[in-house]
Amino acid sequence: MTKDMSRSSTLESSLFKEGVPILEERYRLFVSPDSMEAYLVKSGSGPALVPEDIPQLFLELKARGVVYGLLDEPEEGRGGRLVVARGKPPLPGKDARIELLVDLSRGPLKEEKPDRVVYRELNTLVCVELGQPVARRLPPGLGEPGMDVFGTPVPPLPGRDISFNYGSGLEADELLLRAKTAGVLIFENESLSVSPVYVLDSDVDWSVGNIHFCGERLVINGDIKRGFSLKVKGDLEINGSVEDNVQIEVSGDLFIRGLIQGESVLIRCEGDATIGALEYAQIEVSGNLTVLDYLLQPYCLVGKNFRLLDGLGVVLGGKCLVGGSAEVYILGNEAHVRADFRVGYDPLILGRLAELKERQKTMERQERDLRGGLEKGLRLLKKGGLSPAQKGILKKIRHLLENLRDDLRQLILEEKLAREELKRLRKNTLRIEKRIFPGVHIGIADADFSIVTRLAGGTFFLSEKGLEFRATKGE
């Protein structure tokens, strides 16, 4: 250790303990234990500090190592002290924190434009998609260093760190917490988790609000009350009934145990559906539809096959359009209420065929007109009765006719392909297990037939002869 360093250490030690004389020993200079404050204490009977002493005071402070935070005017401190310098305390870093990226708040939705409150939207089920960020970690701050009165930097205390607290269905990196499956986001016991299967043990009513779900499966052990809607990405199971003015959209399979009732009910299912009973409602199913009891005045649009053999097993009135085949226990009733039931139904193919037929008729009529004009022009040309301008028109007619015939050939090819698809639709059948009543209008693909007499069980199918009925043996 050098002599200068030894003297400096001794001086600082004196400043912390007994102080050092300053300003002709009228004051003693002290430094607080944390080196963040330098102050004077009066010693002896000399005169008090006056403004004229300040320049000399600064010189002596610096000579004793007090170089930072010098006050332009000393300030009175506790116990008669005169504070002459203050250090800059370090600012501690902010603690790390977790910020939610998903709104978990409950309550009616408030919309700004228009200014209104939607009381059916309560945010009861908060769902996240696969890979969706759920929360982020904001790291602790480093803080800001300070400076003591000796000009020595004072390091700050960094903020306290924190880690994600999460359960199943989530995964985290250093900064983000993400969903590793689609499902309901649950915050319980200060921990987040995602459940792909969720069970709601209540009705869907004013206490629950509309449902927006994504995940594997949603189970509702209650009824869907009037006026509410469900949008489900995944499978849906309802162990209750569905009241009027309800809308349900399901991307997966659907099961409804109870009665679906109401002219304003609309159900759309992209998978297979199984329902109990339906009255006056509309249901559209991309896959297969199985009914466990009965249909009363329904509107059913089914992409694949239809089955109603259990419970009452009856279709009373309404319209059923089925893409595949169908099995029904009883179709119609003693009152001969009209019911429309069609299998092998594909609106795209049937509509395309109808469109192609109309276009073919139009093009054939145009072809006849152009051919007639061309033949007349050629006769006049042969007699030399056409002007140069008329010859140009004749050439244009020939060109138009050639193009039209090309288009017509292409149209006929398209119609042929569509009819191949129609053959596939015509292979579908309608099987009646018990009975079919007059008043029922049935169809297979593009063939139609009205029932005028009661028939026992059997199968409707298409043959080269047309629509036929083959009774079940023993009936």
mmCIF file of all heavy atoms in Angstrom, residues 428-451:
data_model
loop_
_atom_site.group_PDB
_atom_site.id
_atom_site.type_symbol
_atom_site.label_atom_id
_atom_site.label_comp_id
_atom_site.label_asym_id
_atom_site.label_seq_id
_atom_site.Cartn_x
_atom_site.Cartn_y
_atom_site.Cartn_z
ATOM 1 N N ASN A 428 -77.997 -44.548 -54.029
ATOM 2 C CA ASN A 428 -78.491 -44.458 -52.655
ATOM 3 C C ASN A 428 -79.927 -44.953 -52.562
ATOM 4 O O ASN A 428 -80.682 -44.927 -53.548
ATOM 5 C CB ASN A 428 -78.405 -43.010 -52.170
ATOM 6 C CG ASN A 428 -76.954 -42.569 -51.966
ATOM 7 O OD1 ASN A 428 -76.274 -43.040 -51.069
ATOM 8 N ND2 ASN A 428 -76.485 -41.675 -52.834
ATOM 9 N N THR A 429 -80.295 -45.392 -51.363
ATOM 10 C CA THR A 429 -81.620 -46.004 -51.160
ATOM 11 C C THR A 429 -82.299 -45.409 -49.926
ATOM 12 O O THR A 429 -81.643 -44.849 -49.044
ATOM 13 C CB THR A 429 -81.507 -47.520 -50.985
ATOM 14 O OG1 THR A 429 -80.680 -47.795 -49.835
ATOM 15 C CG2 THR A 429 -80.895 -48.165 -52.224
ATOM 16 N N LEU A 430 -83.618 -45.570 -49.890
ATOM 17 C CA LEU A 430 -84.418 -45.203 -48.720
ATOM 18 C C LEU A 430 -85.109 -46.469 -48.215
ATOM 19 O O LEU A 430 -85.976 -47.025 -48.901
ATOM 20 C CB LEU A 430 -85.450 -44.136 -49.095
ATOM 21 C CG LEU A 430 -86.514 -43.822 -48.042
ATOM 22 C CD1 LEU A 430 -85.875 -43.341 -46.742
ATOM 23 C CD2 LEU A 430 -87.512 -42.790 -48.576
ATOM 24 N N ARG A 431 -84.715 -46.902 -47.025
ATOM 25 C CA ARG A 431 -85.305 -48.122 -46.456
ATOM 26 C C ARG A 431 -86.312 -47.747 -45.377
ATOM 27 O O ARG A 431 -85.991 -46.982 -44.465
ATOM 28 C CB ARG A 431 -84.222 -49.027 -45.864
ATOM 29 C CG ARG A 431 -84.776 -50.370 -45.372
ATOM 30 C CD ARG A 431 -83.669 -51.300 -44.946
ATOM 31 N NE ARG A 431 -83.101 -50.923 -43.666
ATOM 32 C CZ ARG A 431 -83.601 -51.309 -42.483
ATOM 33 N NH1 ARG A 431 -84.683 -52.071 -42.434
ATOM 34 N NH2 ARG A 431 -83.010 -50.945 -41.368
ATOM 35 N N ILE A 432 -87.528 -48.278 -45.508
ATOM 36 C CA ILE A 432 -88.588 -48.072 -44.516
ATOM 37 C C ILE A 432 -88.704 -49.349 -43.691
ATOM 38 O O ILE A 432 -88.980 -50.430 -44.236
ATOM 39 C CB ILE A 432 -89.935 -47.750 -45.193
ATOM 40 C CG1 ILE A 432 -89.790 -46.562 -46.146
ATOM 41 C CG2 ILE A 432 -90.995 -47.482 -44.136
ATOM 42 C CD1 ILE A 432 -89.344 -45.285 -45.487
ATOM 43 N N GLU A 433 -88.492 -49.234 -42.403
ATOM 44 C CA GLU A 433 -88.522 -50.413 -41.537
ATOM 45 C C GLU A 433 -89.940 -50.924 -41.292
ATOM 46 O O GLU A 433 -90.214 -52.130 -41.376
ATOM 47 C CB GLU A 433 -87.852 -50.078 -40.205
ATOM 48 C CG GLU A 433 -87.850 -51.194 -39.184
ATOM 49 C CD GLU A 433 -86.816 -52.263 -39.489
ATOM 50 O OE1 GLU A 433 -85.935 -52.026 -40.352
ATOM 51 O OE2 GLU A 433 -86.870 -53.330 -38.869
ATOM 52 N N LYS A 434 -90.881 -49.975 -41.012
ATOM 53 C CA LYS A 434 -92.222 -50.402 -40.596
ATOM 54 C C LYS A 434 -93.302 -49.999 -41.593
ATOM 55 O O LYS A 434 -94.047 -50.841 -42.094
ATOM 56 C CB LYS A 434 -92.547 -49.816 -39.227
ATOM 57 C CG LYS A 434 -93.891 -50.248 -38.642
ATOM 58 C CD LYS A 434 -93.890 -51.708 -38.284
ATOM 59 C CE LYS A 434 -95.201 -52.103 -37.591
ATOM 60 N NZ LYS A 434 -95.234 -53.542 -37.287
ATOM 61 N N ARG A 435 -93.402 -48.697 -41.906
ATOM 62 C CA ARG A 435 -94.531 -48.246 -42.719
ATOM 63 C C ARG A 435 -94.248 -46.867 -43.304
ATOM 64 O O ARG A 435 -93.559 -46.044 -42.701
ATOM 65 C CB ARG A 435 -95.790 -48.183 -41.847
ATOM 66 C CG ARG A 435 -97.084 -47.936 -42.586
ATOM 67 C CD ARG A 435 -98.263 -48.017 -41.625
ATOM 68 N NE ARG A 435 -98.376 -49.361 -41.033
ATOM 69 C CZ ARG A 435 -98.158 -49.629 -39.751
ATOM 70 N NH1 ARG A 435 -97.832 -48.645 -38.918
ATOM 71 N NH2 ARG A 435 -98.281 -50.854 -39.292
ATOM 72 N N ILE A 436 -94.838 -46.599 -44.498
ATOM 73 C CA ILE A 436 -94.816 -45.276 -45.112
ATOM 74 C C ILE A 436 -96.240 -44.942 -45.532
ATOM 75 O O ILE A 436 -96.954 -45.796 -46.056
ATOM 76 C CB ILE A 436 -93.846 -45.207 -46.302
ATOM 77 C CG1 ILE A 436 -93.776 -43.763 -46.841
ATOM 78 C CG2 ILE A 436 -94.191 -46.175 -47.389
ATOM 79 C CD1 ILE A 436 -92.652 -43.559 -47.860
ATOM 80 N N PHE A 437 -96.673 -43.677 -45.271
ATOM 81 C CA PHE A 437 -98.063 -43.278 -45.472
ATOM 82 C C PHE A 437 -98.217 -42.409 -46.711
ATOM 83 O O PHE A 437 -97.267 -41.766 -47.167
ATOM 84 C CB PHE A 437 -98.558 -42.494 -44.257
ATOM 85 C CG PHE A 437 -98.751 -43.333 -43.033
ATOM 86 C CD1 PHE A 437 -97.717 -43.506 -42.117
ATOM 87 C CD2 PHE A 437 -99.970 -43.953 -42.774
ATOM 88 C CE1 PHE A 437 -97.883 -44.269 -40.970
ATOM 89 C CE2 PHE A 437 -100.152 -44.718 -41.628
ATOM 90 C CZ PHE A 437 -99.112 -44.878 -40.732
ATOM 91 N N PRO A 438 -99.432 -42.354 -47.260
ATOM 92 C CA PRO A 438 -99.714 -41.401 -48.329
ATOM 93 C C PRO A 438 -99.450 -39.967 -47.852
ATOM 94 O O PRO A 438 -99.554 -39.663 -46.669
ATOM 95 C CB PRO A 438 -101.207 -41.622 -48.620
ATOM 96 C CG PRO A 438 -101.484 -43.008 -48.155
ATOM 97 C CD PRO A 438 -100.594 -43.226 -46.967
ATOM 98 N N GLY A 439 -99.130 -39.118 -48.800
ATOM 99 C CA GLY A 439 -98.793 -37.739 -48.454
ATOM 100 C C GLY A 439 -97.300 -37.502 -48.404
ATOM 101 O O GLY A 439 -96.845 -36.354 -48.365
ATOM 102 N N VAL A 440 -96.538 -38.583 -48.422
ATOM 103 C CA VAL A 440 -95.079 -38.460 -48.415
ATOM 104 C C VAL A 440 -94.580 -38.373 -49.849
ATOM 105 O O VAL A 440 -94.986 -39.166 -50.709
ATOM 106 C CB VAL A 440 -94.427 -39.652 -47.689
ATOM 107 C CG1 VAL A 440 -92.913 -39.558 -47.798
ATOM 108 C CG2 VAL A 440 -94.857 -39.681 -46.231
ATOM 109 N N HIS A 441 -93.723 -37.426 -50.090
ATOM 110 C CA HIS A 441 -93.103 -37.273 -51.405
ATOM 111 C C HIS A 441 -91.634 -37.652 -51.247
ATOM 112 O O HIS A 441 -90.911 -37.054 -50.449
ATOM 113 C CB HIS A 441 -93.224 -35.826 -51.887
ATOM 114 C CG HIS A 441 -92.648 -35.601 -53.245
ATOM 115 N ND1 HIS A 441 -93.338 -35.887 -54.401
ATOM 116 C CD2 HIS A 441 -91.434 -35.136 -53.638
ATOM 117 C CE1 HIS A 441 -92.585 -35.593 -55.443
ATOM 118 N NE2 HIS A 441 -91.414 -35.137 -55.009
ATOM 119 N N ILE A 442 -91.211 -38.663 -51.978
ATOM 120 C CA ILE A 442 -89.835 -39.119 -51.831
ATOM 121 C C ILE A 442 -89.069 -38.861 -53.123
ATOM 122 O O ILE A 442 -89.658 -38.687 -54.205
ATOM 123 C CB ILE A 442 -89.752 -40.619 -51.466
ATOM 124 C CG1 ILE A 442 -90.266 -41.478 -52.609
ATOM 125 C CG2 ILE A 442 -90.492 -40.896 -50.180
ATOM 126 C CD1 ILE A 442 -90.001 -42.956 -52.418
ATOM 127 N N GLY A 443 -87.738 -38.838 -53.005
ATOM 128 C CA GLY A 443 -86.891 -38.650 -54.164
ATOM 129 C C GLY A 443 -85.563 -39.345 -53.969
ATOM 130 O O GLY A 443 -85.076 -39.490 -52.843
ATOM 131 N N ILE A 444 -85.012 -39.803 -55.084
ATOM 132 C CA ILE A 444 -83.650 -40.342 -55.086
ATOM 133 C C ILE A 444 -82.908 -39.619 -56.204
ATOM 134 O O ILE A 444 -83.291 -39.736 -57.381
ATOM 135 C CB ILE A 444 -83.617 -41.859 -55.310
ATOM 136 C CG1 ILE A 444 -84.371 -42.589 -54.202
ATOM 137 C CG2 ILE A 444 -82.172 -42.354 -55.373
ATOM 138 C CD1 ILE A 444 -84.425 -44.104 -54.391
ATOM 139 N N ALA A 445 -81.892 -38.854 -55.824
ATOM 140 C CA ALA A 445 -81.144 -38.044 -56.788
ATOM 141 C C ALA A 445 -82.119 -37.150 -57.552
ATOM 142 O O ALA A 445 -82.811 -36.330 -56.949
ATOM 143 C CB ALA A 445 -80.304 -38.917 -57.700
ATOM 144 N N ASP A 446 -82.270 -37.363 -58.887
ATOM 145 C CA ASP A 446 -83.137 -36.506 -59.688
ATOM 146 C C ASP A 446 -84.496 -37.140 -59.983
ATOM 147 O O ASP A 446 -85.277 -36.623 -60.784
ATOM 148 C CB ASP A 446 -82.449 -36.159 -61.011
ATOM 149 C CG ASP A 446 -82.075 -37.412 -61.810
ATOM 150 O OD1 ASP A 446 -81.971 -38.491 -61.195
ATOM 151 O OD2 ASP A 446 -81.884 -37.291 -63.023
ATOM 152 N N ALA A 447 -84.804 -38.267 -59.319
ATOM 153 C CA ALA A 447 -86.079 -38.948 -59.523
ATOM 154 C C ALA A 447 -87.015 -38.666 -58.356
ATOM 155 O O ALA A 447 -86.577 -38.606 -57.201
ATOM 156 C CB ALA A 447 -85.853 -40.451 -59.675
ATOM 157 N N ASP A 448 -88.317 -38.493 -58.643
ATOM 158 C CA ASP A 448 -89.303 -38.168 -57.613
ATOM 159 C C ASP A 448 -90.481 -39.132 -57.689
ATOM 160 O O ASP A 448 -90.819 -39.669 -58.751
ATOM 161 C CB ASP A 448 -89.807 -36.732 -57.810
ATOM 162 C CG ASP A 448 -88.708 -35.703 -57.652
ATOM 163 O OD1 ASP A 448 -88.463 -35.287 -56.515
ATOM 164 O OD2 ASP A 448 -88.070 -35.350 -58.673
ATOM 165 N N PHE A 449 -91.143 -39.285 -56.531
ATOM 166 C CA PHE A 449 -92.286 -40.190 -56.461
ATOM 167 C C PHE A 449 -93.148 -39.785 -55.276
ATOM 168 O O PHE A 449 -92.646 -39.521 -54.181
ATOM 169 C CB PHE A 449 -91.812 -41.643 -56.312
ATOM 170 C CG PHE A 449 -92.914 -42.654 -56.361
ATOM 171 C CD1 PHE A 449 -93.476 -43.021 -57.575
ATOM 172 C CD2 PHE A 449 -93.396 -43.231 -55.209
ATOM 173 C CE1 PHE A 449 -94.500 -43.969 -57.629
ATOM 174 C CE2 PHE A 449 -94.410 -44.173 -55.245
ATOM 175 C CZ PHE A 449 -94.959 -44.538 -56.459
ATOM 176 N N SER A 450 -94.455 -39.732 -55.481
ATOM 177 C CA SER A 450 -95.398 -39.413 -54.399
ATOM 178 C C SER A 450 -96.116 -40.679 -53.956
ATOM 179 O O SER A 450 -96.613 -41.458 -54.790
ATOM 180 C CB SER A 450 -96.423 -38.377 -54.873
ATOM 181 O OG SER A 450 -95.794 -37.136 -55.114
ATOM 182 N N ILE A 451 -96.178 -40.899 -52.655
ATOM 183 C CA ILE A 451 -96.832 -42.082 -52.095
ATOM 184 C C ILE A 451 -98.335 -41.819 -52.052
ATOM 185 O O ILE A 451 -98.788 -40.835 -51.463
ATOM 186 C CB ILE A 451 -96.294 -42.389 -50.690
ATOM 187 C CG1 ILE A 451 -94.769 -42.526 -50.717
ATOM 188 C CG2 ILE A 451 -96.943 -43.647 -50.134
ATOM 189 C CD1 ILE A 451 -94.259 -43.637 -51.594
#
